[in-house]
Amino acid sequence: MRAPTFDLTLLRTLVAIADTGSVTAAAKRLAYTQSTVSMQLKRLEAQLGLVLHEREGRRVRFTAEGERLITHARKLLALNEEAWRDMQARQVSGELTLGIPEDYALLLPSVFSYFHQLYPSVGLEVVCGTSADLVERVKNAEMDVALVTRQRRSPGGEVIRREPLYWAVGLSHQPLLSDPLPLALYTPGADVFREVAEQALQNAGRQWRVAYTSQSMSGLAPVVMAGLAIAVVTRSMLKPTLKPLDETSGLPALPSIELALHWAPHRPSEPARRLGELIREQLANEWVPV
């Protein structure tokens, strides 16, 4: 007698409904019609001889049996993806250069490690620099791909994340918030953070002075921690020794910045495409999606 097997397509539909909460949203995610999603869910129930869900208006509530199967389904789908990646990884080889600001490189150690495990035949070189410089180097085909802060003067790129900006001071020490405000900023042209901060203060009629400059937050953090200046940071740059200022500080609100992948002016190589996929996945999992 042949052992029964699950249809992964049906399980993928089940998980999509669980993640989105409704048949309509699941259909949009999977690029199916609503009737197809409903039919696949009913087919799964028929195969098992179990009731897996109940409808509450437009929402779907899963029974205890449905919740148990969702747990198994996630594991099976993850194992299926791992198997596919493992079998395809052996076919990927070559050289790859990624450009990235130092502050963002600190977010991706798990991506670099996982990429090496998946594609051991790919030689990955990571080059740190300012966003503005990296964008130009990618345009000149000096590197394959770069993850940067999207620049106002050279927008382009594939936006994969929007990140709010905050004014930040030291956790234990902070300067007086009176004019002129002492600022710790990126060096001119290093990134859009400086331009955004100065524009916000100008619009609010505030006075400031640039007390410290660096091309990375690691260079600015010590003086901010010491209470000598205020910095502009993203949420991911907020170290335990720094704290964000809210609207009660009297400082103007800051806009969000965009993180973008810039590709060299030719069709991305297979290693570059695979690395880009992992970076998108990592940022989506750790931060709020774009």
Side-chain angles (χ1 to χ4, degrees):
M1 179 180 177
R2 187 174 64 179
T5 58
F6 280 104
D7 184 331
L8 293 181
T9 299
L10 302 184
L11 293 184
R12 187 170 289 107
T13 297
L14 177 72
V15 170
I17 297 173
D19 288 344
T20 62
S22 72
V23 169
T24 301
K28 184 176 181 180
R29 171 188 285 192
L30 298 170
Y32 291 161
T33 64
Q34 293 183 39
S35 60
T36 297
V37 171
S38 296
M39 179 187 67
Q40 290 183 345
L41 182 55
K42 291 178 180 178
R43 182 180 170 191
L44 187 57
E45 289 179 321
Q47 289 179 351
L48 292 170
L50 296 170
V51 176
L52 302 176
H53 80 293
E54 298 174 353
R55 298 296 293 267
E56 294 181 344
R58 295 183 178 181
R59 306 292 295 178
V60 174
R61 186 181 71 83
F62 289 98
T63 62
E65 290 80 6
E67 294 290 353
R68 288 174 60 192
L69 181 57
I70 290 168
T71 300
H72 291 304
R74 293 189 190 279
K75 294 177 181 178
L76 289 171
L77 291 171
L79 184 59
N80 176 74
E81 181 180 355
E82 180 182 345
W84 269 103
R85 282 184 171 178
D86 180 64
M87 297 307 296
Q88 293 180 337
R90 308 306 165 184
Q91 305 172 28
V92 180
S93 62
E95 301 297 322
L96 171 62
T97 303
L98 167 71
I100 188 170
E102 181 181 330
D103 297 321
Y104 296 157
L106 298 175
L107 299 173
L108 300 178
S110 59
V111 167
F112 298 148
S113 177
Y114 189 40
F115 184 81
H116 179 67
Q117 292 177 31
L118 288 176
Y119 312 111
S121 297
V122 175
L124 172 62
E125 178 185 0
V126 180
V127 178
C128 289
T130 66
S131 289
D133 179 58
L134 292 173
V135 169
E136 290 304 311
R137 295 187 65 180
V138 169
K139 286 182 179 179
N140 294 332
E142 296 175 27
M143 53 184 59
D144 299 284
V145 60
L147 173 66
V148 301
T149 307
R150 198 179 194 202
Q151 305 299 292
R152 293 187 174 185
R153 293 182 179 83
S154 55
E158 174 195 350
V159 176
I160 60 173
R161 164 74 218 150
R162 289 187 179 88
E163 183 80 353
L165 291 178
Y166 303 91
W167 300 104
V169 295
L171 184 62
S172 302
H173 308 282
Q174 72 176 62
L176 294 176
L177 301 182
S178 56
D179 292 350
L181 295 165
L183 301 183
L185 298 175
Y186 286 112
T187 51
D191 219 318
V192 73
F193 288 41
R194 180 175 184 140
E195 178 185 344
V196 165
E198 292 181 340
Q199 187 64 57
L201 291 172
Q202 181 178 335
N203 292 344
R206 299 296 301 267
Q207 300 296 314
W208 71 92
R209 64 183 179 87
V210 179
Y212 299 90
T213 60
S214 175
Q215 291 191 355
S216 69
M217 184 50 58
S218 61
L220 298 176
V223 295
V224 178
M225 290 160 49
L228 301 178
I230 307 164
V232 176
V233 301
T234 64
R235 183 178 62 188
S236 58
M237 294 176 185
L238 279 172
K239 305 175 183 296
T241 51
L242 301 178
K243 67 177 180 180
L245 297 174
D246 58 26
E247 63 276 0
T248 62
S249 68
L251 295 181
L254 294 169
S256 296
I257 52 95
E258 296 175 328
L259 272 67
L261 285 172
H262 283 257
W263 306 89
H266 52 71
R267 183 178 179 180
S269 66
E270 190 61 19
R273 188 182 69 80
R274 299 291 180 93
L275 180 61
E277 290 175 353
L278 291 180
I279 291 174
R280 290 190 200 94
E281 181 179 340
Q282 175 75 2
L283 298 188
N285 288 340
E286 288 199 353
W287 299 338
V288 180
V290 173

